Amino acid sequence: MPLDVVDLRAFYASPLGHVARRFIGRAMLRFWPDCARQRLLGLGYSTPYLSVLGMQAERTIAFMPAAQGVVNWPSPGLSASALVEPTLLPLPTASIDRVVLVHALEETESPDDLLEEVSRVLNPGGRMILVVPNRRGLWARMDGTPFGQGRPFSRRQLSALMRGAEFSPEHWTEALYVPPLQKRLLMRSARAWEQIGAGLSLPFAGVHIIDATKQFYRRAPLRATRRSFALRPVLLPQASPTPRAANPPARPGTG
C-alpha cells in the first residue's frame, strides 16, 4: 500500500520523526553545506529536508507522487509543491542542479525508470541525495514508520541502480541506528546510538544516505565481435569464354 501524505506529515510531527529529520538532515548538510544559486528539487516526501537545504537556493520545488498525495509547502507564501508522476516529471531536460529523493525510490514500481528520469532533468555534473531504507536495518523490519514501508535496498542493489542511470556515488553514509520505537529513553539516548553505530560501522542502520553525481557522458557499450573459423569455399575467378563466330569458315574439300 503506498504511503499517504497525511501519515508522513504525522510521522515527522512525532518525537521519532524529529529524531529522523535531525540525523538525516545533518548528513545531508555535510554533503551539501551550501546550495546557494542552485535549482533544488525534492521528490517524494522531502519537505522536512528541503526546509534545511533550500534556505539559500535560487529555486526550490517539492514534487510529490500522485499515489501519495500532496500538501501545501511552504505553509507561508506561495506554494512550491505539486502532484506529479515520478517517472514523467514536468520539467525540461537538464533544468535542475540538485535533487533530493526521500520516501521515493522504495515506493516506486520501477526504480530504474525513476532514476533515469532524475538523471534526465539534472544538469551534467548535477548532484543527487538519495535516502533509502537499509535492507539490513531495524527500521525496514518494523512498519510503524514510513521507512518500514515499500522496498528496502542493500548497498549492492543501490550501486547497480545508480550505475545503470549514470550516477557516480561520491559520499555514502548510514543513519538511524536508534530502534524505531516511541520510547522516551530511546529518544533521549538517540545521539549515543548514532555515535556508537557510526563509530563501529554497525550494519543495522535504518537508512542509506548517498550523495551521487550525474556523469557528464554516457558510456558506449562494448560489444564483443564474434569470429567464425568455419571453412568457407573460396570462389576463384573463371576464364572468360571465347565467343563463337557467327559464320565459321568452311573446311577445305567441302562445299
Side-chain angles (χ1 to χ4, degrees):
M1 182 176 179
L3 289 173
D4 187 86
V5 70
V6 175
D7 297 330
L8 287 161
R9 185 167 56 179
F11 168 73
Y12 280 102
S14 70
L16 191 58
H18 284 292
V19 168
R21 180 177 182 269
R22 182 166 76 249
F23 291 117
I24 294 174
R26 285 179 181 177
M28 289 182 175
L29 284 173
R30 287 199 302 271
F31 295 160
W32 297 354
D34 184 12
C35 290
R37 298 181 299 277
Q38 301 290 307
R39 289 165 291 182
L40 177 63
L41 169 66
L43 186 58
Y45 190 78
S46 58
T47 53
Y49 308 99
L50 293 180
S51 301
V52 177
L53 293 174
M55 295 295 292
Q56 304 298 327
E58 173 188 321
R59 182 174 302 174
T60 305
I61 308 171
F63 281 170
M64 302 183 189
Q68 169 191 291
V70 66
V71 293
N72 181 52
W73 181 86
S75 52
L78 298 175
S79 177
S81 60
L83 198 67
V84 300
E85 170 55 46
T87 57
L88 295 170
L89 298 178
L91 291 172
T93 299
S95 59
I96 296 296
D97 300 308
R98 300 190 181 187
V99 177
V100 177
L101 274 77
V102 188
H103 304 298
L105 193 70
E106 67 270 27
E107 290 294 320
T108 184
E109 295 181 358
S110 180
D112 304 82
D113 291 342
L114 177 60
L115 290 184
E116 285 283 351
E117 183 67 357
V118 171
S119 178
R120 181 188 70 81
V121 302
L122 267 178
N123 283 326
R127 297 171 68 179
M128 170 186 70
I129 284 183
L130 184 61
V131 180
V132 185
N134 179 11
R135 187 176 180 181
R136 303 174 66 183
L138 293 176
W139 289 66
R141 301 172 187 270
M142 302 177 69
D143 59 3
T145 77
F147 295 105
Q149 310 295 322
R151 174 187 175 185
F153 291 86
S154 66
R155 274 199 174 216
R156 180 177 297 180
Q157 290 171 328
L158 291 172
S159 297
L161 283 171
M162 287 187 288
R163 190 183 314 116
E166 304 298 331
F167 281 103
S168 175
E170 301 292 339
H171 305 94
W172 196 309
T173 191
E174 281 77 31
L176 303 186
Y177 290 92
V178 60
L181 301 172
Q182 299 277 5
K183 302 292 184 181
R184 289 186 178 181
L185 180 59
L186 289 176
M187 298 301 97
R188 292 175 181 175
S189 60
R191 183 176 180 181
W193 281 91
E194 294 297 311
Q195 291 176 341
I196 294 172
L200 298 177
S201 299
L202 297 178
F204 55 81
V207 295
H208 299 289
I209 308 173
I210 307 104
D211 172 27
T213 301
K214 177 183 173 181
Q215 296 180 358
F216 284 89
Y217 57 89
R218 298 184 67 88
R219 297 186 299 270
L222 298 178
R223 297 181 180 178
T225 302
R226 295 183 179 181
R227 296 182 178 180
S228 176
F229 295 95
L231 296 178
R232 296 181 180 179
V234 179
L235 301 178
L236 298 176
Q238 300 294 325
S240 301
T242 303
R244 298 179 61 183
N247 297 313
R251 294 179 179 179
T254 62

